[in-house]
Structures are given as C-alpha cells and as structure tokens.
Amino acid sequence: VLVLLVGLADYISGPQLMFSDFYLIPIAVASWYRSRRSGMLMAVLSTLTWLTIDVVSAPSPDRPLLAYHNAVMNLIFYAIVAYTLSGLRASRQMQVQLTEFIVHDLRSPLITQMVGLKALRGAALGGFGERHARLLDIATISANRMMTLINSLLDLSRLEHRMMPVQLRTRGVMEMLKVSLDQVSLWADDLQIPLRVDIEPDALLVYADADLTVRVLVNLVSNAIKN
C-alpha cells in the first residue's frame, strides 16, 4: 500500500520532481518491522514502480534507456538500505535477548542469597550483637534493591512491546511509603540523612500498582539521598 501511495504521488508530481527517495519509506518499514526478505521485496517493488512511472512519463524516446540505468542504481541503493536496517534490527534483537538471558541468570543466585540472609537473620536473633544484626539488615536491603533493579531491566523489553503487566488495586499510601523507605533507611542512616513522611491527611488510599509504585518511590528517594 505504501509503495502504491508513493508511486501515485510520484506520478502526479511529474518527472520534474525527484521522488525516488520517498520509496525508502516502505522499504524501511518492511526491513525494520518485518524481515530482510520483506525489505528486499519492497526494494524490488519500489524500483519497478519507479521505473514504470518514469518510462510512462518519459518525454522522449531515449528516456527509457536512462531510466533503466537509474533504476539499477536505485535498486542497489534500496537493497543496501534494506540490508542495513534489517541487520541493525537483528543486532538489536540479539542484544535484547542477551540482556534478558543475563538478567534472568542473575535472579537465581540473588534469590538464593536473599533466602540465606533471611535464614541467617532469623537464626542470629539474640546471638549477634547490634552491629552484626545491622550488617545483615544492610545486606538484605541491598539484595532487595538489586532484585528491584533486575526486575526493572526485565520490564524494559515488556514496556517496548507494550506487554507490561499492571495490577491496579486500591492500595494504602502509608503502606507503600513504609516499604519504600525501609529499603533505603539504613543507607540514609549511614549518611546521617533523616527521612520523614509528610502526606495530606486525606491521602490514605490510591488506585495503583503497589510494586511499580514502590519501585518509583525507591528510585526517587535513592536519587535524593545520592544528591
């Protein structure tokens, strides 16, 4: 359809206007969103369409010979564009898949580490001093923070494909704030930065995704602590 629309505009504009570059639109769309074969097919169709219009609107008998030469040049240029775009698309998809593979592999040892920290924290009640218990809490909070970052990396591809799951429910504001501040409280204490909650009295419930909201709040507070 795009090739036909561009060809129609090319025919209406006449031979005086250079219109061959606009055939790159369907070629680019097919190469990026479909496949290399589709891009090459669009390159051939665009060249044939351009050649047909150029020959039909030729003002003199010797014009077709020049049109055939220009058509070959256009085909080579279109093919290079299609090949390059499809290669970039394939490389990008491979990079995304590799990132997802690495991130998924990071989750397993991190989950094991979090389970071990929780078990150690439970077994150490009364057996460790305040300093050791604080170190365990810091390690647990750091592991939770790493899990949040890993989940955020996985969500990038979901957002690009518009497949991000959102679970909207009525949530308590104070509950989400408490969970968010718990993940950064020890870090803030080490830097001697006080954290304070100040919300409107009637802001008790919101309709939101609790996990995503907590991630946003943790990122905002973390950036504020770093600055």
Side-chain angles (χ1 to χ4, degrees):
V1 173
L2 285 175
V3 172
L4 291 177
L5 290 176
V6 174
L8 179 61
D10 189 10
Y11 179 76
I12 295 175
S13 63
Q16 291 80 14
L17 296 179
M18 185 68 177
F19 220 84
S20 59
D21 291 344
F22 289 93
Y23 289 98
L24 289 174
I25 298 175
I27 296 172
V29 172
S31 300
W32 186 262
Y33 291 103
R34 296 294 296 175
S35 64
R36 178 172 296 172
R37 181 177 298 177
S38 299
M40 293 297 183
L41 177 60
M42 288 299 103
V44 174
L45 291 177
S46 297
T47 303
L48 292 177
T49 303
W50 178 87
L51 177 61
T52 302
I53 294 173
D54 197 65
V55 170
V56 170
S57 59
S60 60
D62 60 337
R63 179 72 178 179
L65 297 178
L66 181 60
Y68 293 139
H69 173 269
N70 292 337
V72 173
M73 296 297 102
N74 283 341
L75 179 59
I76 295 175
F77 177 66
Y78 294 159
I80 292 175
V81 172
Y83 186 88
T84 302
L85 285 178
S86 60
L88 289 174
R89 175 67 172 175
S91 176
R92 184 175 179 275
Q93 289 179 340
M94 186 178 300
Q95 183 180 3
V96 171
Q97 292 175 357
L98 179 60
T99 301
E100 292 180 354
F101 177 77
I102 295 174
V103 171
H104 274 293
D105 280 357
L106 286 175
R107 286 172 60 94
S108 298
L110 184 58
I111 291 175
T112 303
Q113 178 184 354
M114 293 172 64
V115 172
L117 288 173
K118 291 180 180 179
L120 182 61
R121 184 69 174 87
L125 290 177
F128 281 172
E130 181 180 354
R131 179 174 179 274
H132 294 88
R134 183 178 177 82
L135 291 176
L136 281 176
D137 290 337
I138 292 176
T140 302
I141 292 175
S142 298
N144 289 328
R145 175 65 175 152
M146 290 178 61
M147 182 60 70
T148 300
L149 294 175
I150 289 175
N151 290 332
S152 298
L153 289 175
L154 291 175
D155 290 340
L156 287 177
S157 60
R158 298 174 184 171
L159 285 172
E160 290 180 351
H161 295 87
R162 297 182 180 181
M163 299 174 59
M164 181 68 184
V166 178
Q167 300 177 356
L168 298 175
R169 294 190 184 126
T170 302
R171 308 286 185 175
V173 175
M174 288 301 302
E175 178 184 355
M176 291 189 295
L177 288 174
K178 183 179 182 302
V179 174
S180 303
L181 295 181
D182 286 343
Q183 296 188 28
V184 297
S185 59
L186 292 178
W187 181 26
D189 290 342
D190 290 337
L191 298 177
Q192 297 181 351
I193 298 176
L195 300 177
R196 184 183 66 185
V197 177
D198 186 10
I199 63 174
E200 296 293 333
D202 57 346
L204 300 178
L205 298 174
V206 292
Y207 191 64
D209 187 305
D211 293 335
L212 296 179
T213 304
V214 167
R215 284 196 219 173
V216 174
L217 292 173
V218 169
N219 286 330
L220 291 175
V221 177
S222 298
N223 292 334
I225 293 175
K226 287 187 293 186
N227 295 331

